[in-house]
Amino acid sequence: MGFDVAAERYARFMGRYAEPLAPHFADFARVSMGQRVLDVGCGPGTLTRVLVTLTEAHLVAAVDPSPPFIEAVARTLARVDVHTGVAEALPFDDNWFDASLAQLVVHFMTDPEAGINEMVRVTRPGGTVAACVWDGDTGAVAPFWACVHEIDPEAEDEALLAGSRLGDLEKLFKKVGLRKVEPSGLVVRVTHPTFEDWWDPYTFGVGPAGDYVQSLDDAGRTALEEVARRRLGNGPFTVTATAWAARGTVA
């Protein structure tokens, strides 16, 4: 899956939606000053930067399997404890954090249940575990997949990935033994001044959408671009994206 890309490319592709989402998600997770907090699947640091403003940089840790992303976080957030690693095997001691968060990550975990269990393990009793995932039908990349399905109805999109349906995260959190599980829907609105501002990052090879575009030949890519322009217009237009979120308390 296309996440071993330059941090700048990811920022242009998903950062435009993840950045306005991050403060809403951190607020939902009730992150506060003095807490020791973990950002699981931190990417190039979108949520990490928000966490630093809510607590103290030396109390924030971040982990991601992508070396370019980790390098970007280490370069821009020098006091953050940064590690290369996966959610299913977090490189931290038991009961170390007050809160562990995963923004737009659960659906890309190799084993979501194992990943959430690891977040529980490294979070102290009474601490918070929280996650959010774009809704399969109304998330940030949903307009792209709607265009794809117009010309390729059998294309596999992201709608069936873990956490992308209402109630998915809530069920997963309860399954791993989290208590006081609370779900929510988080909504962001991003205005694209031109069609190219929206379309060009899909050609960068980031995530399943980027993989799909790169799998097309020139004619297929042109056909998809034409469908998208017809559906969305030349701009400006606004993408309204919903993410499902859940938080729970460690027993």
Side-chain angles (χ1 to χ4, degrees):
M1 195 175 298
F3 290 109
D4 192 14
V5 297
E8 294 78 11
R9 289 201 161 201
Y10 180 87
R12 282 195 60 195
F13 173 71
M14 187 50 65
R16 51 193 176 166
Y17 304 107
E19 286 180 7
L21 177 66
H24 293 303
F25 178 48
D27 181 65
F28 171 73
R30 297 174 177 168
V31 175
S32 60
M33 181 60 68
Q35 287 188 321
R36 193 182 299 275
V37 185
L38 172 63
D39 183 1
V40 177
C42 63
T46 302
L47 176 62
T48 319
R49 289 190 292 273
V50 173
L51 298 178
V52 166
T53 69
L54 295 175
T55 181
E56 300 178 64
H58 72 281
L59 297 178
V60 177
V63 60
D64 196 277
S66 171
F69 293 170
I70 288 299
E71 290 170 9
V73 176
R75 183 173 61 251
T76 59
L77 298 169
R79 297 178 67 202
V80 171
D81 183 20
V82 182
H83 296 263
T84 302
V86 297
E88 296 84 355
L90 293 173
F92 304 102
D93 292 337
D94 295 357
N95 309 326
W96 186 245
F97 298 98
D98 298 298
S100 295
L101 284 66
Q103 174 171 293
L104 308 179
V105 175
V106 171
H107 52 322
F108 296 129
M109 291 180 182
T110 302
D111 185 338
E113 183 176 341
I116 299 299
N117 264 318
E118 274 289 273
M119 293 173 69
V120 171
R121 178 186 66 79
V122 302
T123 306
R124 65 168 177 81
T128 299
V129 170
C132 66
V133 173
W134 292 124
D135 173 55
D137 294 328
T138 63
V141 294
F144 168 83
W145 288 113
C147 296
V148 169
H149 289 152
E150 183 170 322
I151 58 178
D152 184 5
E154 301 304 316
E156 185 175 339
D157 60 19
E158 300 170 46
L160 297 180
L161 297 178
S164 62
R165 295 291 180 183
L166 176 64
D168 281 1
L169 288 174
E170 184 180 6
K171 292 176 183 176
L172 181 58
F173 275 32
K174 290 179 178 178
K175 185 176 182 180
V176 302
L178 285 162
R179 299 180 178 178
K180 300 178 181 177
V181 176
E182 298 180 51
S184 185
L186 308 176
V187 179
V188 298
R189 295 175 177 83
V190 176
T191 298
H192 297 277
T194 65
F195 173 81
E196 287 74 19
D197 177 78
W198 175 84
W199 167 257
D200 288 350
Y202 282 99
T203 68
F204 293 168
V206 182
D211 287 346
Y212 182 84
V213 172
Q214 292 203 332
S215 74
L216 301 173
D217 58 20
D218 289 344
R221 196 172 297 119
T222 298
L224 178 57
E225 182 178 355
E226 290 174 351
V227 168
R229 189 183 294 274
R230 173 172 54 77
R231 291 176 67 106
L232 297 171
N234 292 321
F237 56 84
T238 299
V239 173
T240 301
T242 299
W244 299 124
R247 67 169 178 254
T249 301
V250 177

